[in-house]
Amino acid sequence: MKNQEQGRQSFSKHLTQNEVKDRIIFFSYTDVAPFFEFQEGRLFFMDVTDSLGKVWTFTGTFYANPDVGKYVSIKWPQFSSEKGLKANDEVIFIERSRREGNRPWKNFKFVIKRKIRLFGQNIWGELMV
């Protein structure tokens, strides 16, 4: 998805209960393919800056499974437990810049949104954690 305000590319999803519990997030290959050059079974790395300016490194792996298709898993155990993520939170990765080097390494801004009820209306607010 294209982020028009910042002129950057982003991908996002709503977390499932299993993703929160297992501290691994899954994306369809088509959602993240524009951001990485994948090799099956090989790790890729992401530097992710949270809303407080702290930089985290996530690792991911691309898989091609004949039963479920192509997908990507991203591991973030310390981040997910420290941030108190919940099922149905929306996580957004906004591409920033490519980090130099011989590894497929990217830099993203990370936004967490949670649905809250305010004055009888459901709204999505950004978590500043």
Side-chain angles (χ1 to χ4, degrees), residues 35-38 42-49 55-60 95-108:
F35 301 94
F36 301 97
E37 294 178 22
F38 295 114
R42 303 254 343 240
L43 292 178
F44 64 92
F45 303 91
M46 305 165 61
D47 275 346
V48 177
T49 305
V55 178
W56 303 78
T57 299
F58 297 167
T59 59
E95 184 178 33
R96 295 180 100 174
S97 63
R98 184 182 249 329
R99 186 173 182 169
E100 296 303 317
N102 60 359
R103 293 188 282 186
W105 204 303
K106 289 279 196 153
N107 189 349
F108 292 88

Side-chain angles (χ1 to χ4, degrees), residues 1-2 6 9-10 12 15 27 30 32 34 42-43 45 48 64 80 82 84-85 88 92 94 101 103 106 118:
M1 103 184 359
K2 181 82 169 173
Q6 297 176 353
Q9 294 283 328
S10 64
S12 65
L15 298 176
F27 285 95
T30 56
V32 296
R42 303 254 343 240
L43 292 178
F45 303 91
V48 177
S80 63
E82 193 171 306
L85 298 176
N88 203 35
I92 306 165
I94 303 168
R103 293 188 282 186
K106 289 279 196 153
L118 187 62

